[in-house]
Amino acid sequence: MAKGNALMGTLQGRVGDVLFKVRKGQQISGKLQKQVINTRTTAQMKQRTQLNNLVACYRVLKSAIEMGFESKASNQSNYNAFVAKNMNVGTLVFNNKDSV
């Protein structure tokens, strides 16, 4: 059951196969995926690990990173700029569980 006001752009939830949400002040609707397949290929797991490690690094270095992205897009956060610049550059970020 969806809650909110569709005319005011605040409808959230689902009605049948349609999912409603508000993102950045805009009403968005989409088809609900009935079955999601969680692939656990080597490449996918490497990608997930890299993203988790980048997030951990960002949390630790947040104050220093915020000064380093002056040329980012106006609608891009410092976090998004950091991940975009470091996600697929070939150099992997490694963390062990004790370091974070």
Side-chain angles (χ1 to χ4, degrees):
M1 177 176 178
K3 295 181 179 180
N5 185 339
L7 297 176
M8 300 297 287
T10 61
L11 192 62
Q12 294 186 6
R14 71 178 202 192
V15 177
D17 289 345
V18 181
L19 181 67
F20 297 95
K21 59 185 169 183
V22 177
R23 184 170 175 130
K24 295 184 181 181
Q26 296 288 324
Q27 179 75 55
I28 298 173
S29 62
K31 185 173 183 198
L32 184 66
Q33 297 295 320
K34 296 262 183 193
Q35 185 178 14
V36 178
I37 298 171
N38 186 9
T39 59
R40 289 200 169 100
T41 63
T42 303
Q44 182 63 36
M45 296 305 287
K46 181 179 171 185
Q47 186 84 351
R48 289 177 183 172
T49 301
Q50 178 67 357
L51 182 58
N52 287 337
N53 291 341
L54 283 173
V55 170
C57 283
Y58 179 80
R59 287 179 182 155
V60 172
L61 303 171
K62 183 177 179 181
S63 59
I65 290 170
E66 288 180 350
M67 294 183 286
F69 288 103
E70 297 170 349
S71 62
K72 68 180 179 357
S74 62
N75 64 344
Q76 190 177 36
S77 69
N78 290 322
Y79 168 79
N80 288 341
F82 174 75
V83 172
K85 293 285 186 189
N86 292 288
M87 191 60 188
N88 295 313
V89 294
T91 304
L92 298 178
V93 176
F94 294 100
N95 289 323
N96 59 25
K97 290 183 180 181
D98 298 330
S99 68
V100 180

